[in-house]
């Protein structure tokens, strides 16, 4: 089926199971692939592989709620590509999860894993649920039933889930246990992002934020921006945004704005992320922190800053706000925060974007370390992990920056050129079966 949509001038071939009038986030990925196709040379023959996820599983998750009633949830696991290795990517719990979103997120994992050269394809999962409305024991039952249902296709050598939005080490512990019970052995390598006492890795919880900092710092060096006193605005104060803010702050930068679901705060003197976190834990919201002022959600985009870190959800930077952004550099902690048309506008304005598929690859990189440690049952020190993470992120950044310069394209297109080439080279070498 060929369709055009308001967000894109391109006619997309879309799979018939997506609504042609509302393709959703997968459209962003399709457009990104279109943009890179002219650079793929003889591999163009295989490009359709990238546009179609390899395998999609949609599951019904029936569970008893605490009040004795039965509720049903929709769950997904999408394996976008396995040309370079097992599928790998997180599981998100969110009320807005759709098939299109999980398809896009799994495709971005394929690109991300190839960008930092991990021996993985891309996968992603999700449950359409607002976890705030359910008790711990309900969430445990939901997670366990979901894991059993997707147990058909996951496994340490097949597809390795991990945390994403609204999931964390406890979710992974339940997933690991459920899978292990079903296969009759303790299979720690089936998920990453586990608690340390269950085969988790030191450094995993901060890894995504750390990678955002490392790639951001590299970009700042290229752009001649000093770290000391650099003004940083962070959207999202969860696992990624909080760690990134804390590490930037620790390196001498000034956090001038933080936005999360509860509101937006600014401070000319700078916000101490540790105080913001303590305040959030104590009051349930970010607003009202001493020494800060509250602004509207929209005003966040025009905050006077040098670096903006969108670390929340997709489709945040759009044509409605890209024109207001005053930062010189955007480092994408979230997956898919910028729509392609806004990307063009940012490029026209001379704003450099470190794209999601590079900037937030620190999480899956330490997931890879965790998986390797689980397989070898030999665990590394935090220092070893952080050193290896920093080196991988710095090397990837520098070589991708060179590709950007060589082709005169954005860093996002450079990453797509390198990643799509790696994936399609593997695809071409493997050939078609049968
Ligand atoms: N959910 C994270 C991401 O989007 C990490 C995935 C993983 O560790 O497998 O990159």
């Amino acid at each position: 089926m060929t369709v055009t949509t308001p967000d894109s001038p391109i006619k997309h071939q879309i799979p018939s199971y997506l609504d042609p009038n509302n393709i959703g986030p997968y459209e962003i990925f399709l457009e990104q692939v279109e943009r890179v196709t002219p650079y793929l040379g003889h591999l163009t023959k295989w490009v359709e592989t990238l546009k179609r996820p390899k395998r999609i599983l949609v599951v019904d998750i029936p569970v008893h709620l605490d009040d004795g009633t039965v509720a049903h949830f929709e769950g997904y696991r999408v394996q976008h590509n396995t040309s370079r290795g097992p599928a790998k990517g997180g599981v998100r719990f969110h009320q807005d999860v759709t098939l299109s979103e999980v398809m896009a997120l799994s495709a971005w994992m394929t690109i991300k894993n190839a960008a930092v050269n991990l021996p993985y394809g891309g996968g992603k999962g999700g449950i359409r649920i607002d976890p705030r409305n359910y008790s711990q024991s309900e969430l445990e039952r939901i997670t366990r039933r979901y894991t059993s249902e997707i147990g058909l296709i996951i496994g340490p050598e097949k597809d390795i889930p991990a945390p994403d939005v609204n999931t964390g080490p406890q979710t992974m512990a339940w997933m690991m246990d459920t899978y292990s019970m079903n296969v009759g052995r303790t299979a720690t390598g089936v998920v990453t992002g586990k608690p340390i006492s269950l085969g988790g890795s030191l450094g995993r919880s901060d890894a995504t934020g750390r990678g955002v900092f490392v790639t951001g710092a590299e970009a700042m060096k290229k752009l001649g921006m000093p770290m000391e006193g650099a003004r940083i605005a962070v959207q999202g104060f969860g696992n990624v945004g909080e760690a990134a803010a804390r590490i930037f702050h620790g390196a001498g930068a000034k956090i001038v704005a933080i936005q999360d679901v509860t509101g937006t705060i600014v401070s000319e003197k700078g916000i101490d992320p540790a105080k913001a976190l303590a305040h959030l834990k104590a009051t349930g919201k970010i607003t009202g922190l001493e020494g800060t002022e509250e602004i509207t959600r929209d005003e966040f985009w025009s905050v006077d800053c040098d670096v903006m870190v969108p670390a929340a959800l997709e489709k945040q930077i759009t044509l409605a706000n890209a024109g207001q952004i005053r930062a010189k550099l955007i480092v994408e902690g979230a997956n898919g925060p910028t729509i392609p048309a806004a990307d063009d506008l940012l490029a026209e304005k001379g704003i450099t974007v470190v794209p999601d598929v590079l900037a937030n690859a620190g999480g899956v990189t330490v997931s890879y370390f965790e998986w390797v440690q689980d397989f070898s049952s030999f665990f590394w020190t935090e220092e070893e992990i952080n050193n290896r993470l920093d080196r991988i992120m710095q090397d990837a950044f520098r070589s991708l920056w060179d590709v950007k310069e060589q082709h005169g394209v954005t860093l996002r297109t450079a990453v797509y050129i390198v990643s799509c080439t790696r994936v399609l080279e593997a695809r071409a070498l493997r050939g078609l079966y049968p």
Side-chain angles (χ1 to χ4, degrees), residues 117-286:
N117 224 347
L118 304 180
Y120 290 138
K124 200 83 171 197
I127 304 181
R128 191 172 170 86
I129 183 177
D130 185 345
R132 291 170 299 185
N133 299 337
Y134 297 90
S135 69
Q136 272 289 98
S137 61
E138 287 169 335
L139 289 173
E140 175 173 352
R141 289 194 291 280
I142 293 163
T143 304
R144 286 183 181 278
R145 181 62 189 249
Y146 168 72
T147 308
S148 276
E149 294 296 339
I150 66 164
L152 293 171
I153 62 168
I154 64 169
E157 279 148 347
K158 297 202 287 190
D159 180 1
I160 308 107
D164 196 76
V165 175
N166 293 331
T167 56
Q170 179 61 75
T171 327
M172 294 306 117
W174 292 328
M175 290 188 76
M176 188 279 263
D177 181 68
T178 306
Y179 180 85
S180 297
M181 290 292 119
N182 287 342
V183 296
R185 68 188 161 87
T186 295
T188 51
V190 67
V191 290
T192 57
K194 298 178 295 296
I196 305 292
S197 52
L198 286 180
S201 177
L202 294 167
R204 176 63 184 85
S205 59
D206 274 0
T208 313
R210 188 176 175 97
V212 167
F213 169 76
V214 171
T215 54
E218 287 294 312
M220 289 169 77
K221 272 191 229 155
K222 294 278 185 199
L223 300 171
M225 297 164 69
M227 181 62 74
E228 190 62 40
R231 298 168 65 88
I232 318 276
V234 182
Q235 186 201 34
F237 202 58
N239 174 264
V240 183
E242 185 275 325
R246 174 164 35 84
I247 300 169
F248 268 111
H249 174 82
K254 184 154 92 169
I255 310 301
V256 292
I258 300 177
Q259 176 173 85
D260 80 348
V261 274
T262 65
T264 311
I265 53 171
V266 288
S267 168
E268 257 315 298
K269 286 202 190 123
I271 303 165
D272 179 347
K275 288 191 182 142
L277 184 62
H279 176 78
L280 179 65
K281 281 190 176 152
T283 66
K285 50 191 175 52
I286 193 112

Side-chain angles (χ1 to χ4, degrees), residues 58-61 72-76 97-99 126-129:
V58 183
V59 296
D60 173 41
I61 307 164
H72 290 256
F73 301 92
E74 273 170 37
Y76 303 94
V97 162
T98 59
L99 174 59
I127 304 181
R128 191 172 170 86
I129 183 177

Side-chain angles (χ1 to χ4, degrees), residues 25 28 91-98 101-102 104-105 108 124-125 127 129-132 164-167 234-241 259-262 297 300-301 309-318 321 330-339 356 360 412:
I28 301 180
V91 172
R92 109 174 8 185
F93 290 178
H94 197 274
Q95 59 276 18
D96 296 332
V97 162
T98 59
E101 186 195 39
V102 183
L105 291 165
W108 288 325
K124 200 83 171 197
I127 304 181
I129 183 177
D130 185 345
R132 291 170 299 185
D164 196 76
V165 175
N166 293 331
T167 56
V234 182
Q235 186 201 34
F237 202 58
N239 174 264
V240 183
Q259 176 173 85
D260 80 348
V261 274
T262 65
R297 297 199 74 75
F300 173 79
W301 302 107
V309 180
L313 293 170
E314 310 82 85
K315 287 193 170 186
Q316 297 299 301
I317 303 182
T318 64
N321 55 32
I330 295 176
V331 190
E332 295 183 337
N335 291 308
T338 310
I339 69 159
D356 50 1
N360 71 32
R412 190 186 314 276

